[in-house]
Amino acid sequence: MDFQVVVLAGGTSKKLVPLVSKEVPKALLPVANRPVLSYVLELLELSNLKDLIVVVEGQDAALCVGAWISGAYIDRLHVEVAAVPEDVGTAGALRAIARHLTAKDILVVSGDLVSDVPPGAVAAAHRRHDAVVTAMLCSAPVSGPSESGSTGGKDKSKNPRCYNIIGLDPTKQFLLYIATGAEIEKGTRIQKSILRASGQMEVRADLMDAHVYAFKRSVLQEVLDQKDTFQSLKQDVLPYLVRSQLKSEVLLNGVQQAEETGNEKGSSQNSHMILSRILSNASAPSFHKLYALGHDGSAPVRRTHKCCAYIASNSKYCVRLNSIQAFMDINRDVIGEASHLSGYSFSAQKYIMHPSAEIGSKTTIGPQCMVGEGSQMGDKCSVKRSVVGRHCRIGSNVKVVNSIVMNHVTIGDGCSIQGSVICSNAQLQERVVLKDCQVGAGFVVSAGCEHKGESLARKEK
Amino acid sequence: MDARRGAGPRAVPKVRQVGFFTRNPNPNSPSPPSRTRSVPPNSNSPASGNSLSPVMIPPPRHVSENLSYLRTTAAVPVPYSRRIAQEHVTVVGSYNPADSVLGETLSPSFLDDNSDASTTLGWFSRSGSGKLAAASSSLPSGGFDLTAVKFDKFCGLEDKKQSQIPEKIGGVAVEAQNEVPSSSKPNKAKTTKAERRALQESQRAAKAAAKGEGNKSAASSRGAAPAKPQKQPSQKKDDPLVALSIAASDRKGTDRPPEKERKKEVPAPRMQFDDKNRVEKAKKRALVNQTEARNRVELFRHLPQYEHGTLLPDLESKFFQLDQMHPAVYKVGLQYLAGDICGGNARCIAMLHAFQEAIKDYTTPAEKTLVRDLAGKISSYVSFLIECRPLSMSMGNAIRFLKNRIAKLPLTCSESEAKASLCNDIDRFINEKIILADKVIVRHAATKVRDGDVLLTYGSSCVVEMIFLYAHELGKQFRVVVVDSRPKLEGQALLRRLVAKGLSCTYTHINAVSYIMHEVTRVFLGASSVLSNGTVYSRVGTACVAMVAHSFHVPVLICCEAYKFHERVQLDSICSNELGDPNAIAKVPGRIDLDKGTNKENLQHLNLMYDATPSDYVSMIVTDYGMIPPTSVPVIVREYRREYLLI
């Protein structure tokens, strides 16, 4: 279908700092004991997209990701892993791999997306309207631990957060305005010309940009070349394209050439005009076309391009892993309500336990839990709505609620862990009480400590 | 059923007059030029004038009780050469089978009438070209009325019965066929394959006998003759056997291809969607997941109707799975499905452009020939497009053209040459058959616009719009009434464009058409297709407008490119139509949904897309070959079909 897929897998994100490390870049953070990148790759594989370009920030991270991909998908996918320098941003990353892009359209997917929205739908909407860019929008996730009142939100993100302000035309197919929630507090400007052309604008704050874009390659490369300062697709390129859709500065060359060649031959141009008139009259014209035609309805006087939106239906799951809170939410959802994504089959009690895991007597594992391969648990433990990774050693009388315990973690007797993330190789000694904490990889929490809402990590030397 | 009953008797004389085989003394008979072209003055037309004599000699009444006996004995007078006789066979055979069938199956006593009917053939054809009312009153015997009535009844017969009939007759007449050509006339239309082959061979022999191979008139008249029988069977096209005979007969109209090719050309009988087994099978083949709509109108069960809401998302999500579809074709299909492109010309052009793209990107796989593989590819594209939305007849014609071009590619030419020539052909088709045709139509039709006219149009036809604009450019003073209807409200866009160009317009809905018709002086309508009995197949509501105009004695001009003409005959809009989204009529913005608060089980929505306007309401068809009466459509179909297949 003449599409190329670019997965932007990021590097070691600063937002996720105690969780990610040199060894575990963002793309490999485990979600239900699987790297988050695998969700994207499998979604693409399901859509029959087998040639992928995965872009990773930083050489080391790229090596990690590349090693993992080649191990997991060697015979299934054809993946090229490209390393770009750190902190170039998403636009910079695309700029760096521009020479690899050859297809007519480019599908850019964020590597931290956990979703079951078919990417084909975005591509199809893109093709149908012959758009310059099509963005996938999904309903903003309810963040924070949902029903359980036991844990208060760690940060302010529990309040309904405004992800994006999005303006749509009445048919809900075209993007008229887009801004991230943070920008809007300073006040914003909506272009009068766009508003006037479309007649009506629906402003929505309950939608989130899912960071799945279909770009027209020629346009994308032109924008990236011309605007050196653009760093991010989401914050620079997309708003720019939306903003300039009625006074398009891209696409100029192609159209002009077509017109010139048309003028050379009078008769053929005449029939060409009739042809285009038949075609244009047949369809309900979009406001772009009406605007381009100007008032007299003769030859196009203004150049426009279309920015489309594909709105995923509410029944689909679509969340990005871009904060610690999101990480916990996704983990909870993937073994909970969106369990079809995890690819595991749940037992009747709605938890997953690897056959090699061992649990002691009187240990209870509640629904929506997962215990990984080779983990051992002592007696009288209780695990609720949590993920326990591989080869963990958990002592007796331990409570794990709403938490994520990664691989090779040792937890001493009598610990209580609530709403926390404990990274690989961490060690919790006896009677540690953690609430809403993040424990970095390899960190040792000494016995009897109580922490609340803290981020515990080894000092980088 | 009303439409069917109403159309039946009216259509009978139309069928008879279309061929222009009998000499027509009636001065107001339509389109003499086409007659002179199709019927050579020297040999054939006197023949056709007298030709009825062998037919007219009635077989002895007392023996005619047995139909098969009648057939063998009726052959007594065969004074003319084989060739001529055979032409009559086809001429008469085009409608007679109905009578004979009736005679056999319904009432044996009808046989007398039957033979009467064949004797009175001369009157039919003469009077049939005039007004129907005059025709039936001027008939001396009750023969015509009777046949008409029977015919009508026959139309109403169940399919099952119809499908049995041809076999029966075919079986009876097999031996009679070769020795006594003239006797076989009654069952010409539903001959079996063996019979047809025999007939064809005899025709070929006759052709060889006819000295002038280059004699255009003879050829054309022979080519024309078999074109007739298709009218009869198409009333019951549910019957696969008859579908075969349609195809066979229209192939005969052109230069006879070898048997193999002819077989390939035979279209599969149209899918009947009330046949569960076949629907299941088709579903397995389908690329798009189609859920059948649940609450369907019983009368229209044979037409496909799917839940519209689910189709688009499903197709969209499969975007990357449909590898075998060319992106351009996929895009067009998506646009059909989403309703982004509608209108016969636009859909056809979009489809052809997509095919052009696909051909440009095509490479012949190893160990395959381009001709075969590409034809298969195109077929798969077409079936994909059908899944998105049923094709219009004009698109069918365009596809037939393209496939023909592919089949005719010389084996020696290289792949790039072949591709270039096909793309060129498509361009030429679009240019000549659509754009140039539109220009010619506009020139023709603009002569019919006079100062002070009030022109009415319905819906939004691109040709009609061009006519208005052109007439306006010429400086003619006229007013336009745009009649529109729910749910599409296509007229609004037309109105907007016309007003923008400075035409003075009136906009009304179809409910008010009888009110507005008082002031109208001409009605210009577009058409999706024009069928060979003169029936105009067009946007639903057209028939209503045409009928009102007719009763107000306002001339109705149908503007339609000749590539939209189709040899099919349709008497009603039931057997072949398209069902639109039922929600479109149930949901009116700003009002409460019809579905709300009602029991869904006993509420069925029927959103028909097309209707058939009987030719009686049509004063003139403006086409790229000139302005013709609706009775001349088959002439165009017959004479020019060949030409554009070989473009």
Side-chain angles (χ1 to χ4, degrees):
Chain A
M1 281 296 178
D2 211 6
F3 257 92
Q4 246 178 330
V5 184
V6 177
V7 179
L8 299 177
T12 50
S13 162
K14 290 199 182 64
K15 276 191 196 166
L16 296 164
V17 114
L19 308 187
V20 297
S21 60
K22 282 254 153 51
E23 294 79 44
V24 185
K26 183 183 174 187
L28 298 184
L29 274 182
V31 170
N33 288 340
R34 261 171 59 193
V36 63
L37 188 60
S38 69
Y39 290 87
V40 171
L41 296 185
E42 255 150 57
L43 179 72
L44 295 170
E45 191 190 11
L46 212 65
S47 296
N48 201 21
L49 291 166
K50 305 221 160 117
D51 287 314
L52 314 173
I53 301 175
V54 175
V55 184
V56 186
E57 278 183 2
Q59 206 70 41
D60 299 342
L63 283 176
C64 290
V65 174
W68 171 75
I69 288 176
S70 57
Y73 292 100
I74 181 119
D75 47 349
R76 287 153 70 193
L77 295 174
H78 180 251
V79 182
E80 270 180 66
V81 180
V84 294
E86 286 182 53
D87 298 325
V88 289
T90 45
L94 283 180
R95 212 175 271 139
I97 58 153
R99 65 201 156 77
H100 293 292
L101 303 178
T102 49
K104 194 176 154 215
D105 295 284
I106 311 287
L107 191 70
V108 180
V109 187
S110 172
D112 58 3
L113 186 76
V114 178
S115 163
D116 54 356
V117 182
V122 182
H126 183 70
R127 273 288 159 80
R128 201 180 112 204
H129 293 290
D130 202 18
V132 159
V133 61
T134 303
M136 183 166 102
L137 307 176
C138 56
S139 46
V142 189
S143 72
S146 52
E147 74 290 332
S148 65
S150 57
T151 56
K154 185 208 82 174
D155 48 14
K156 300 289 176 284
S157 72
K158 199 191 174 186
N159 309 332
R161 190 172 129 200
C162 188
Y163 285 87
N164 289 111
I165 300 289
I166 289 163
L168 295 168
D169 82 317
T171 59
K172 297 189 182 168
Q173 287 172 331
F174 298 108
L175 274 177
L176 303 182
Y177 178 76
I178 188 159
T180 50
E183 277 173 39
I184 208 84
E185 283 161 20
K186 302 175 229 152
T188 186
R189 302 165 82 171
I190 292 170
Q191 267 165 315
K192 210 163 150 195
S193 58
I194 294 180
L195 204 54
R196 197 189 283 157
S198 68
Q200 235 180 321
M201 179 155 104
E202 191 181 317
V203 179
R204 311 225 351 209
D206 60 337
L207 291 175
M208 184 189 79
D209 181 359
H211 212 293
V212 175
Y213 308 113
F215 283 102
K216 192 169 269 183
R217 179 185 55 88
S218 55
V219 171
L220 180 69
Q221 286 183 337
E222 208 175 316
V223 171
L224 291 179
D225 285 349
Q226 285 175 359
K227 313 277 175 180
D228 295 329
T229 52
F230 282 2
Q231 282 258 313
S232 151
L233 287 180
K234 186 173 173 170
Q235 277 156 23
D236 298 323
V237 177
L238 183 63
Y240 166 74
L241 286 173
V242 170
R243 216 163 46 225
S244 65
Q245 58 182 314
L246 290 185
K247 43 178 177 31
S248 176
E249 293 160 20
V250 293
L251 274 183
L252 292 186
N253 306 333
V255 178
Q256 239 163 7
Q257 278 164 4
E259 271 174 18
E260 275 159 15
T261 52
N263 281 333
E264 282 165 19
K265 294 173 269 177
S267 62
S268 79
Q269 190 219 6
N270 191 8
S271 61
H272 188 75
M273 256 177 61
I274 294 177
L275 191 71
S276 58
R277 198 190 298 165
I278 290 174
L279 284 176
S280 65
N281 289 356
S283 53
S286 70
F287 66 90
H288 295 98
K289 189 163 266 167
L290 290 176
Y291 186 81
L293 287 178
H295 298 291
D296 53 345
S298 58
V301 288
R302 302 185 185 95
R303 305 188 193 289
T304 58
H305 59 244
K306 290 179 187 172
C307 300
C308 291
Y310 174 81
I311 302 176
S313 70
N314 279 332
S315 59
K316 299 281 189 189
Y317 186 81
C318 179
V319 185
R320 284 188 65 196
L321 198 165
N322 50 11
S323 66
I324 293 171
Q325 189 59 51
F327 176 69
M328 301 192 56
D329 292 340
I330 291 172
N331 266 298
R332 186 194 64 222
D333 289 340
V334 165
I335 53 172
E337 54 199 44
S339 56
H340 57 281
L341 282 170
S342 65
Y344 297 105
S345 53
F346 284 74
S347 69
Q349 290 82 32
K350 296 198 172 165
Y351 67 84
I352 312 158
M353 204 167 82
H354 197 272
S356 64
E358 295 168 18
I359 55 172
S361 65
K362 290 197 183 163
T363 289
T364 55
I365 295 177
Q368 305 187 0
C369 279
M370 185 170 197
V371 180
E373 176 190 350
S375 286
Q376 297 171 354
M377 265 188 240
D379 302 336
K380 291 184 190 169
C381 288
S382 150
V383 180
K384 287 177 189 162
R385 286 189 295 277
S386 297
V387 179
V388 178
R390 296 184 196 92
H391 306 290
C392 289
R393 301 229 315 267
I394 296 176
S396 306
N397 227 343
V398 174
K399 276 173 85 175
V400 181
V401 181
N402 276 328
S403 297
I404 294 135
V405 178
M406 293 187 198
N407 306 333
H408 302 286
V409 174
T410 314
I411 297 175
D413 295 346
C415 285
S416 165
I417 301 160
Q418 276 198 349
S420 299
V421 182
I422 296 160
C423 294
S424 302
N425 301 320
Q427 192 180 348
L428 271 61
Q429 293 173 346
E430 283 96 63
R431 294 180 310 285
V432 168
V433 179
L434 293 180
K435 197 171 180 196
D436 306 324
C437 290
Q438 293 89 43
V439 180
F443 191 81
V444 181
V445 183
S446 50
C449 288
E450 279 193 38
H451 294 279
K452 194 172 177 186
E454 279 177 73
S455 170
L456 310 165
R458 268 191 305 194
K459 296 259 177 345
E460 297 283 334
K461 280 158 204 164
Chain B
M1 283 317 274
D2 271 349
R4 185 177 276 207
R5 224 171 266 144
R10 214 179 287 123
V12 173
K14 291 285 179 288
V15 171
R16 284 169 189 173
Q17 73 194 31
V18 285
F20 306 106
F21 275 89
T22 54
R23 174 176 287 165
N24 205 334
N26 200 339
N28 50 10
S29 98
S31 113
S34 50
R35 186 173 54 134
T36 50
R37 196 179 298 128
S38 63
V39 180
N42 51 358
S43 68
N44 272 350
S45 66
S48 56
N50 305 334
S51 68
L52 295 167
S53 57
V55 190
M56 274 197 280
I57 295 174
R61 292 270 161 107
H62 58 274
V63 287
S64 70
E65 276 161 34
N66 184 342
L67 193 68
S68 59
Y69 191 52
L70 162 84
R71 285 213 186 90
T72 45
T73 51
V76 178
V78 195
Y80 295 96
S81 79
R82 255 189 160 186
R83 180 170 57 84
I84 293 169
Q86 271 184 2
E87 275 175 23
H88 308 321
V89 167
T90 51
V91 170
V92 184
S94 64
Y95 56 90
N96 245 8
D99 302 348
S100 68
V101 160
L102 282 165
E104 197 172 52
T105 58
L106 293 183
S107 60
S109 67
F110 180 61
L111 269 179
D112 292 358
D113 294 324
N114 185 19
S115 53
D116 262 349
S118 57
T119 57
T120 52
L121 185 78
W123 294 314
F124 291 169
S125 44
R126 224 173 291 138
S127 52
S129 54
K131 285 261 175 195
L132 169 68
S136 53
S137 64
S138 70
L139 279 172
S141 78
F144 177 80
D145 282 335
L146 259 173
T147 43
V149 169
K150 295 279 168 160
F151 200 90
D152 189 10
K153 229 188 253 169
F154 176 72
C155 291
L157 276 181
E158 298 218 327
D159 294 346
K160 204 170 56 180
K161 205 178 253 175
Q162 288 167 2
S163 62
Q164 289 166 352
I165 291 158
E167 289 160 19
K168 211 186 277 176
I169 293 197
V172 170
V174 174
E175 299 103 333
Q177 184 88 61
N178 277 344
E179 314 154 8
V180 210
S182 64
S183 71
S184 67
K185 41 181 96 114
N187 51 352
K188 166 67 175 74
K190 16 179 112 71
T191 49
T192 63
K193 204 162 118 195
E195 275 178 283
R196 279 200 310 278
R197 191 171 299 158
L199 182 65
Q200 202 185 19
E201 265 155 26
S202 63
Q203 275 174 336
R204 205 171 285 154
K207 190 177 175 184
K211 56 209 180 276
E213 186 67 19
N215 186 353
K216 182 191 152 223
S217 54
S220 72
S221 73
R222 192 181 307 119
K228 291 203 77 186
Q230 70 211 17
K231 267 131 234 165
Q232 158 67 24
S234 54
Q235 289 157 21
K236 33 183 174 62
K237 34 182 131 32
D238 309 356
D239 187 351
L241 197 81
V242 174
L244 279 171
S245 79
I246 297 175
S249 57
D250 77 60
R251 291 303 306 166
K252 269 181 236 157
T254 65
D255 51 339
R256 300 190 181 83
E259 285 284 314
K260 233 188 200 170
E261 195 181 328
R262 204 183 63 178
K263 244 183 232 160
K264 211 168 59 187
E265 288 277 321
V266 170
R270 210 133 41 88
M271 178 88 166
Q272 296 293 308
F273 284 81
D274 42 2
D275 184 346
K276 271 196 188 131
N277 288 336
R278 298 183 49 194
V279 169
E280 281 304 313
K281 266 185 208 162
K283 244 186 208 168
K284 273 175 209 157
R285 283 199 306 269
L287 294 170
V288 186
N289 251 348
Q290 295 163 328
T291 350
E292 296 236 355
R294 272 173 301 118
N295 228 8
R296 291 191 294 168
V297 180
E298 191 56 42
L299 185 58
F300 290 93
R301 282 223 167 226
H302 57 286
L303 301 174
Q305 186 172 19
Y306 304 111
E307 296 280 4
H308 272 245
T310 61
L311 275 179
L312 187 59
D314 186 71
L315 187 64
E316 280 189 336
S317 62
K318 275 196 185 159
F319 184 76
F320 291 112
Q321 270 98 330
L322 297 171
D323 267 343
Q324 70 272 39
M325 277 313 128
H326 190 271
V329 178
Y330 179 86
K331 182 179 167 184
V332 169
L334 209 58
Q335 284 172 330
Y336 287 172
L337 189 58
D340 287 351
I341 302 182
C342 54
N345 281 342
R347 277 170 70 194
C348 193
I349 293 173
M351 179 189 72
L352 288 174
H353 277 160
F355 286 166
Q356 211 172 9
E357 290 291 308
I359 290 172
K360 271 180 198 157
D361 292 347
Y362 173 83
T363 45
T364 318
E367 300 181 7
K368 286 195 178 165
T369 56
L370 179 132
V371 173
R372 278 164 181 270
D373 191 58
L374 187 58
K377 266 259 157 57
I378 297 284
S379 299
S380 73
Y381 294 157
V382 169
S383 59
F384 169 74
L385 291 180
I386 291 175
E387 279 167 37
C388 294
R389 191 182 161 185
L391 298 183
S392 67
M393 289 186 214
S394 55
M395 291 160 78
N397 282 342
I399 291 165
R400 182 139 53 135
F401 160 78
L402 179 60
K403 285 199 177 169
N404 206 291
R405 295 303 304 168
I406 294 173
K408 292 261 162 63
L409 282 175
L411 284 170
T412 50
C413 76
S414 71
E415 187 179 306
S416 59
E417 277 172 4
K419 276 156 66 175
S421 106
L422 286 177
C423 290
N424 202 19
D425 283 336
I426 291 176
D427 270 338
R428 263 172 59 198
F429 186 90
I430 294 174
N431 267 327
E432 288 178 15
K433 294 293 159 191
I434 303 176
I435 291 169
L436 214 60
D438 279 349
K439 278 188 193 165
V440 174
I441 291 174
V442 166
R443 297 280 183 285
H444 278 308
T447 62
K448 296 291 165 198
V449 180
R450 291 173 306 195
D451 282 346
D453 264 350
V454 179
L455 311 175
L456 183 142
T457 188
Y458 172 73
S460 170
S461 158
C462 62
V463 195
V464 172
E465 181 186 349
M466 281 189 244
I467 292 168
F468 291 162
L469 294 179
Y470 180 70
H472 183 71
E473 267 172 40
L474 291 182
K476 296 193 172 169
Q477 298 298 315
F478 61 94
R479 203 156 63 80
V480 176
V481 179
V482 179
V483 180
D484 207 352
S485 72
R486 284 203 178 278
K488 288 205 150 191
L489 295 178
E490 292 162 309
Q492 288 185 351
L494 173 69
L495 183 79
R496 206 165 288 138
R497 292 192 292 265
L498 290 180
V499 170
K501 296 270 180 179
L503 281 81
S504 68
C505 296
T506 308
Y507 179 78
T508 182
H509 273 212
I510 196 166
N511 325 22
V513 71
S514 62
Y515 166 79
I516 204 84
M517 200 57 85
H518 286 285
E519 45 185 302
V520 172
T521 54
R522 267 173 194 32
V523 174
F524 283 89
L525 296 172
S528 166
S529 179
V530 178
L531 309 175
S532 62
N533 60 343
T535 302
V536 175
Y537 188 69
S538 189
R539 169 74 62 224
V540 67
T542 306
C544 171
V545 172
M547 187 173 72
V548 173
H550 181 74
S551 67
F552 278 84
H553 301 291
V554 178
V556 177
L557 288 85
I558 302 286
C559 308
C560 181
E561 300 85 352
Y563 86 101
K564 291 179 176 174
F565 287 16
H566 201 274
E567 67 265 6
R568 183 197 288 182
V569 166
Q570 206 170 310
L571 301 178
D572 55 43
S573 47
I574 297 170
C575 57
S576 161
N577 208 323
E578 190 184 329
L579 298 178
D581 183 3
N583 284 332
I585 51 171
K587 292 193 171 74
V588 180
R591 304 232 187 118
I592 305 164
D593 280 1
L594 273 178
D595 287 337
K596 244 180 212 162
T598 49
N599 186 358
K600 281 205 166 178
E601 288 309 305
N602 49 19
L603 175 66
Q604 300 160 335
H605 301 301
L606 178 64
N607 183 10
L608 282 178
M609 299 286 271
Y610 295 102
D611 66 9
T613 309
S615 56
D616 306 58
Y617 301 146
V618 178
S619 322
M620 191 202 287
I621 295 174
V622 186
T623 179
D624 31 341
Y625 298 115
M627 292 181 274
I628 56 165
T631 46
S632 302
V633 174
V635 182
I636 301 268
V637 170
R638 168 182 3 116
E639 294 297 317
Y640 292 98
R641 163 69 26 94
R642 220 171 359 159
E643 172 221 335
Y644 87 70
L645 283 178
L646 306 173
I647 199 167

